[in-house]
Amino acid sequence: EKAVFCDRILYSPAWLYRLGNLAFVFPGSGNHYIGMGRGLWTRWPEILRRLDAENGYLRDQMAPGLFMPWRLTWEDGWQKETELAIVDDYKSMVFASVSHGTAVSDLVRSLGISPSSVIGYSLGEVAALFATRAWTDRDEMLRRVNESSLFVSDLAGPCDAARRFWNLPKDEKADWVLGVIDRPAETVHLALKGAERAALLIVNAPLECVVGGYRKAVDNLVQGMGCVFLPLQGAAVHFEAAKLVEKQYRELHLLPTNPPPGIKFYSGAWRRPYEVTRESAADSVVAQAIHSLDFPALIGRAYEDGLRVFVELGPQASCARMIDKILADRPHAARP
């Protein structure tokens, strides 16, 4: 009864879809790529026109200079310059990822596909709130982020929160790194006993985790386990050092909130559905910033609640891949 996939056709002898069992899943940061969304929005420009009518600064939110260089050609050198800019501009990467997920959600819904539930992986939880219009003031969020040091120096760039958490001298760089490893959470927990300045950030799947910390400590952890390490670009979140900026992080995410009826929202930190309010939405986002995430537990709870069809809305296909690993042979469909 396992679903069989072709390039554009899904066939399953089991009737997987029923009213109320389809979830939209929004991926986290690190899935962005040069040219992200360019093909979609030249084919469906009306989606961006509607978003432009809702937002005063849509262009700044989508960061087209980094991700959708319409005018420059490959020969003009935009590839190298853009890749360097992405590394240095975490704020723009965050906004572009959230904006892309919101736009793809609008496109899929315009084709008659609507969710009964929404699930966010890391930054995807913010994307889910904006995509469903539980949050609508993206211009205000843009203003707050641009005026904040959170994604410039506290949790990104020099990662001052991590430096303070590790009691490093002011002139010593935190040298924050993170990446995916091919080991189960139990193995990582054992390897971390007695280790300093390294942490388990996210459990992705039964045999896949994200670890992060001080570069030398992470290198030692990886070497000790003899595992593959795939580096990622990301901030120092899902890590208790973020507690040092917890108040600022919560204030950033306190926005007017009006969740749409008929949609269940899942919290990544709490691993369950929750009632979305101005305070609870901010609390959920903050909780997942200062604690590690367990994506298999979250998807397991969603499956227990009856969800069977998972549609990933965002760049790449990381969540669909992880959901397939988590649910394995249980009847389900996970598609980007």
Side-chain angles (χ1 to χ4, degrees), residues 111-130:
L111 301 175
I113 302 171
S114 296
S116 60
S117 302
V118 291
I119 298 170
Y121 172 97
S122 188
L123 179 64
E125 195 162 320
V126 171
L129 288 161
F130 278 118

Side-chain angles (χ1 to χ4, degrees), residues 131-318:
T132 57
R133 305 313 194 268
W135 286 348
T136 57
D137 203 344
R138 287 165 55 176
D139 289 334
E140 173 61 16
M141 178 63 89
L142 180 68
R143 184 193 67 79
R144 291 183 186 183
V145 169
N146 282 335
E147 292 179 357
S148 171
S149 62
L150 283 171
F151 299 117
V152 176
S153 57
D154 295 327
L155 301 174
C159 293
D160 288 336
R163 179 183 55 77
R164 288 160 51 203
F165 183 75
W166 292 327
N167 293 316
L168 298 177
K170 289 185 177 182
D171 59 349
E172 183 174 350
K173 182 181 176 183
D175 203 11
W176 172 264
V177 296
L178 74 160
V180 178
I181 60 172
D182 56 342
R183 291 293 184 272
E186 296 79 6
T187 300
V188 179
H189 282 303
L190 288 173
L192 283 169
K193 287 186 175 180
E196 295 183 354
R197 301 178 184 174
L200 171 62
L201 307 181
I202 306 174
V203 182
N204 277 349
L207 295 174
E208 181 179 319
C209 293
V210 178
V211 297
Y214 193 75
R215 185 180 300 275
K216 290 182 180 179
V218 173
D219 287 345
N220 290 336
L221 177 70
V222 170
Q223 291 172 9
M225 290 190 290
C227 58
V228 174
F229 179 79
L230 176 64
L232 300 173
Q233 180 190 2
V237 291
H238 316 308
F239 178 52
E240 55 185 333
K243 289 181 180 179
L244 298 179
V245 290
E246 181 177 355
K247 182 176 182 291
Q248 301 96 299
Y249 205 84
R250 188 175 189 274
E251 289 174 350
L252 179 72
H253 294 94
L254 280 171
L255 292 167
T257 305
N258 185 26
I263 296 181
K264 185 184 294 184
F265 288 76
Y266 281 79
S267 165
W270 302 328
R271 307 168 194 172
R272 58 171 172 81
Y274 74 105
E275 183 180 352
V276 176
T277 66
R278 179 175 180 268
E279 290 72 25
S280 67
D283 288 342
S284 178
V285 172
V286 170
Q288 59 134 326
I290 63 179
H291 300 293
S292 62
L293 293 181
D294 189 334
F295 195 57
L298 177 62
I299 295 301
R301 171 58 190 267
Y303 196 84
E304 289 176 6
D305 291 344
L307 294 173
R308 294 294 182 270
V309 181
F310 302 85
V311 180
E312 181 174 2
L313 303 170
Q316 310 284 8
S318 59

Side-chain angles (χ1 to χ4, degrees), residues 26 51 97-107 127 130-131 133 138:
F26 294 84
L51 286 170
S97 296
V98 170
S99 298
H100 183 72
T102 300
V104 176
S105 174
D106 284 2
L107 171 59
F130 278 118
R133 305 313 194 268
R138 287 165 55 176

Side-chain angles (χ1 to χ4, degrees), residues 10-163:
L10 163 63
Y11 166 73
S12 173
W15 184 251
L16 287 175
Y17 174 74
R18 289 177 175 81
L19 187 64
N21 78 353
L22 186 147
F24 279 2
V25 182
F26 294 84
S29 61
N31 291 281
H32 58 283
Y33 59 92
I34 296 172
M36 179 177 69
R38 184 166 50 179
L40 284 176
W41 313 133
T42 51
R43 185 176 294 269
W44 284 285
E46 66 273 13
I47 300 298
L48 291 196
R49 292 192 187 106
R50 291 175 200 155
L51 286 170
D52 194 37
E54 294 179 16
N55 297 271
Y57 299 94
L58 182 66
R59 178 183 177 85
D60 292 339
Q61 294 169 20
M62 300 197 79
L66 293 181
F67 297 101
M68 294 184 288
W70 304 99
R71 296 178 182 176
L72 296 179
T73 66
W74 188 277
E75 290 75 16
D76 289 325
W78 65 259
Q79 181 200 24
K80 181 178 180 181
E81 293 175 3
T82 302
E83 286 175 345
L84 292 174
I86 289 173
V87 171
D88 294 336
D89 194 348
Y90 185 76
K91 289 191 303 182
S92 292
M93 184 270 287
V94 165
F95 260 102
S97 296
V98 170
S99 298
H100 183 72
T102 300
V104 176
S105 174
D106 284 2
L107 171 59
V108 173
R109 297 191 74 162
S110 76
L111 301 175
I113 302 171
S114 296
S116 60
S117 302
V118 291
I119 298 170
Y121 172 97
S122 188
L123 179 64
E125 195 162 320
V126 171
L129 288 161
F130 278 118
T132 57
R133 305 313 194 268
W135 286 348
T136 57
D137 203 344
R138 287 165 55 176
D139 289 334
E140 173 61 16
M141 178 63 89
L142 180 68
R143 184 193 67 79
R144 291 183 186 183
V145 169
N146 282 335
E147 292 179 357
S148 171
S149 62
L150 283 171
F151 299 117
V152 176
S153 57
D154 295 327
L155 301 174
C159 293
D160 288 336
R163 179 183 55 77

